[in-house]
Amino acid sequence: MRVVFIHPNYHSGGAEIAGNWPPAWVAYLAGALKQAGYTDLHFVDAMTNDLTEDALRDRLRELQPDVIGCTAITPSIYMAERCLEIAKEVCPQALRVLGGVHATFMYQQVLTEAPYIDVIARGEGEEIIVELVRAYAAGNWKEARAGIKGLAYITDDGKIIATPAAPTVKNFDAVEPDWTLLEWEKYIYVPLGVRVAIPNMARGCPFTCSFCSQWKFWRDYRIRDPKKVVDEIEKLVNDHQVGFFILADEEPTINRKKFIAFCEELIARGLPDKVKWGINTRVTDIIRDEEYLALYRKAGLVHVSLGTEAAAQLKLDRFNKETKVAENKKAIRLLREADIFTEAQFIVGLENETAETLEETYRMARDWNPDLANWAMYTPWPFSPLFQELGDKVEIFDFSKYNFVTPIMKPDAMDRAELLDRVMNNYRRFYMIKALFHYPWRGKGFRRRYLLGCLKAFLKAGFERKFYDLGKHNYWGPQSKEKVNFGFDMTRKIAPAQMADWQAASDRASQLRARKAGEAEEARTPVMACGGGPASHDAHV
């Protein structure tokens, strides 16, 4: 049974300016299949290798797989759909499977626009993919699919069916990713010029930020034994010469006890001398862990990206961040004192964005003085609470542009071109000051090399016009605002089946709220006895 995984060829000029990132999903699914006894596994990284459609055809024709698996985040969904359409042309007998966060929540939309997809795996894929491959190998997957949890598919009579949600992977420690399928020499972290990996210590997040979908996808929070995570990292370092890793977790510091144990295990094995690493986390965790930051740095943690999100408290409250503006500044100061590089993340581009609020984020970035700052365009994931709240204000349904760099929302006070120009103005001013007065002169040795490497990554992407998709948008500076073209495909719409699914979910939620409100009201209302007074618990009938 030959299984081929495909990573779709999608580029946006966002996070990839720092390097080519190894697709961790392949390693985790391949590991699950190997544990189940399937070893004829192959991987086609169309993104890293920038494969054309013809090249992908040739590769599939050569491999002739039995099962073809592809994944998609929201902006890569059309590329993923196209990969599986090509797969049907070249390998019509193969089972075509799509997974990932977008298809999990938008399966009605995906199966409507791409009916050549045989089945969608909804949610975590390790256990689902094993069940699917077993059913296909047995020759009765169509008969068996209704009994496999976590699937969506089209029946022979054209109905879209979703089986009950699959349980999350409870024994996370038993997950054994197989990293051998990846072409490691191609995954380079530009700031340090070393190979990069993205291992996973925990899944899930207890917070419910309104712009995010990850807490809905992973559902419950689970964390691996820190020693097992370090085993994996040690193997990545020794077997694949990885010199930098980023923990894929939404917030790896949630469980402080296990995060500290993870750091201590890295130190005990001497790994900080061989590999450095970074994380994304919340400012509140950094403030909480002030006394442990020196330990984190000793363990090799050199880069922390903070979800500061907004300079205005109003926006933080709307995002349901549960943080305060003043905490952002303090967290950055504490990290700087611990010699850990800081990256402040701002979300901009909602409908209430103005020139003044964008300027405020710049002033805050200068005042907080992080090593790096990133202004990400608000991207209204179609399965997030904030998307539903925005309603008709979302005009663009071309999901290929939902990439954090293209302004999906049009602010009331400016057009999208001006929004892009003002964001670029923030970048120009912030990094010009850093390039001239900070990076070359602040610190020495590793600190100086790392910061200059970050600057190199920005400059390289800028000169190539890849940063923020500026080349595709025809943006060359303030003088080109009138010529900016974001290339939205306005023919893209939400499928009626998806709208009906949303409406049904909304109705269920409304009914649940009404029922809870009724129960609460009933609990507040005293039970009346026959004589008109409150009944006592010991009243006689």
Side-chain angles (χ1 to χ4, degrees):
M1 182 61 56
R2 174 166 290 182
V3 180
V4 171
F5 295 114
I6 305 172
H7 196 71
N9 187 13
Y10 178 83
H11 301 272
S12 68
E16 64 191 273
I17 70 168
N20 292 322
W21 305 99
W25 68 275
V26 173
Y28 285 91
L29 294 188
L33 285 171
K34 276 199 172 180
Q35 283 183 299
Y38 299 99
T39 58
D40 192 358
L41 309 174
H42 303 264
F43 175 45
V44 180
D45 191 344
M47 180 179 178
T48 298
N49 292 302
D50 197 21
L51 294 185
T52 64
E53 291 187 359
D54 285 341
L56 178 59
R57 277 192 190 89
D58 291 343
R59 190 77 179 104
L60 289 175
R61 191 175 290 113
E62 173 191 345
L63 289 168
Q64 285 299 310
D66 300 293
V67 177
I68 301 170
C70 195
T71 191
I73 55 175
T74 294
S76 66
I77 184 60
Y78 305 137
M79 285 295 188
E81 290 174 357
R82 181 60 181 147
C83 285
L84 293 178
E85 186 175 22
I86 291 170
K88 183 175 183 180
E89 298 170 8
V90 179
C91 311
Q93 302 306 315
L95 179 68
R96 296 172 294 280
V97 187
L98 179 65
V101 63
H102 184 89
T104 290
F105 297 114
M106 299 286 287
Y107 63 89
Q108 298 274 5
Q109 177 82 23
V110 172
L111 291 174
T112 298
E113 62 195 13
Y116 41 80
I117 293 172
D118 290 316
V119 63
I120 287 173
R122 297 163 47 235
E124 291 176 87
E126 286 93 346
E127 294 175 354
I128 297 173
I129 192 67
V130 170
E131 284 199 69
L132 261 179
V133 171
R134 279 177 178 158
Y136 191 73
N140 66 338
W141 92 270
K142 279 199 172 183
E143 293 76 19
R145 60 187 177 180
I148 300 176
K149 291 182 178 179
L151 300 185
Y153 55 88
I154 303 175
T155 62
D156 292 339
D157 58 357
K159 293 181 181 178
I160 295 176
I161 299 294
T163 64
T168 54
V169 177
K170 301 304 181 186
N171 187 3
F172 198 14
D173 278 337
V175 172
E176 295 283 351
D178 175 19
W179 294 102
T180 62
L181 292 182
L182 279 63
E183 302 172 84
W184 282 104
E185 69 279 2
K186 297 180 179 178
Y187 304 113
I188 302 298
Y189 185 58
V190 173
L192 292 176
V194 296
R195 296 184 183 184
V196 61
I198 312 178
N200 199 192
M201 184 163 77
R203 287 179 179 173
C205 181
F207 298 99
T208 56
C209 297
S210 61
F211 57 85
C212 185
S213 63
Q214 294 301 302
W215 58 274
K216 294 179 69 178
F217 183 82
W218 298 113
R219 294 184 285 171
D220 54 322
Y221 176 77
R222 293 143 290 145
I223 186 166
R224 296 165 69 189
D225 179 346
K227 288 187 177 181
K228 279 190 165 290
V229 184
V230 176
D231 286 344
E232 183 179 334
I233 290 167
E234 191 169 39
K235 196 169 185 180
L236 286 166
V237 171
N238 293 337
D239 295 354
H240 304 294
Q241 295 76 57
V242 166
F244 189 83
F245 69 86
I246 295 177
L247 287 177
D249 309 28
E250 300 306 306
E251 186 186 352
T253 52
I254 291 175
N255 189 319
R256 179 169 65 175
K257 182 179 179 180
K258 288 204 171 183
F259 189 75
I260 290 172
F262 170 71
C263 291
E264 290 175 339
E265 188 68 22
L266 287 169
I267 293 169
R269 300 193 198 184
L271 285 170
D273 294 331
K274 302 176 182 178
V275 63
K276 307 301 181 189
W277 51 289
I279 62 172
N280 298 281
T281 196
R282 292 168 61 91
V283 298
T284 48
D285 285 10
I286 297 301
I287 294 171
R288 178 201 69 191
D289 294 354
E290 178 177 357
E291 63 182 298
Y292 294 102
L293 295 181
L295 172 69
Y296 298 168
R297 179 63 181 86
K298 184 179 179 182
L301 176 61
V302 297
H303 189 136
V304 173
S305 179
L306 291 171
T308 49
E309 316 302 7
Q313 188 62 47
L314 180 64
K315 281 189 178 180
L316 288 174
D317 294 341
R318 183 176 186 184
F319 292 154
N320 200 23
K321 283 297 294 184
E322 302 178 27
T323 57
K324 303 297 181 185
V325 168
E327 293 174 329
N328 295 333
K329 183 175 182 178
K330 181 178 181 180
I332 289 171
R333 176 179 60 79
L334 292 175
L335 288 168
R336 183 168 54 246
E337 291 171 356
D339 194 30
I340 297 173
F341 306 109
T342 56
E343 180 178 359
Q345 301 275 357
F346 296 99
I347 293 179
V348 298
L350 272 79
E351 83 285 356
N352 59 352
E353 196 74 75
T354 65
E356 290 75 22
T357 59
L358 286 168
E359 181 63 23
E360 185 180 17
T361 63
Y362 171 73
R363 291 199 303 268
M364 284 289 187
R366 292 288 298 119
D367 178 49
W368 299 346
N369 196 27
D371 297 295
L372 304 161
N374 182 34
W375 284 266
M377 296 291 184
Y378 170 65
T379 300
W381 301 129
F383 29 79
S384 69
L386 196 52
F387 184 93
Q388 307 293 334
E389 177 189 321
L390 290 167
D392 293 341
K393 293 179 181 178
V394 181
E395 308 167 301
I396 306 299
F397 300 105
D398 178 357
F399 295 133
S400 68
K401 304 297 183 180
Y402 279 50
N403 51 24
F404 290 117
V405 303
T406 305
I408 298 300
M409 303 296 296
K410 180 192 174 300
D412 296 335
M414 65 182 79
D415 62 27
R416 291 182 176 86
E418 183 180 356
L419 170 61
L420 176 66
D421 181 56
R422 289 186 178 275
V423 167
M424 288 302 107
N425 188 40
N426 282 359
Y427 274 111
R428 281 191 294 266
R429 291 182 292 168
F430 182 86
Y431 284 101
M432 184 175 293
I433 290 171
K434 289 291 185 182
L436 293 176
F437 303 109
H438 287 239
Y439 294 167
W441 321 111
R442 298 292 174 93
K444 57 184 179 180
F446 180 80
R447 164 167 281 275
R448 187 177 184 186
R449 180 164 66 92
Y450 188 83
L451 290 174
L452 288 176
C454 291
L455 180 61
K456 173 187 174 183
F458 273 106
L459 292 175
K460 181 176 183 291
F463 283 128
E464 293 176 348
R465 312 300 299 154
K466 291 180 180 178
F467 180 63
Y468 254 68
D469 261 357
L470 296 181
K472 294 179 184 177
H473 295 161
N474 197 35
Y475 177 85
W476 296 88
Q479 73 281 1
S480 66
K481 281 192 298 182
E482 303 303 319
K483 298 178 181 179
V484 169
N485 180 6
F486 295 108
F488 296 126
D489 182 350
M490 301 304 291
T491 67
R492 297 281 187 180
K493 303 293 181 185
I494 301 299
Q498 186 66 59
M499 291 294 290
D501 190 55
W502 282 345
Q503 185 59 53
S506 177
D507 290 344
R508 288 194 298 270
S510 296
Q511 291 168 7
L512 179 62
R513 286 194 297 269
R515 186 165 65 250
K516 286 184 175 179
E519 291 170 352
E521 182 63 29
E522 184 178 340
R524 287 194 297 269
T525 303
V527 177
M528 305 305 288
C530 293
S536 66
H537 289 292
D538 59 352
H540 296 289
V541 177

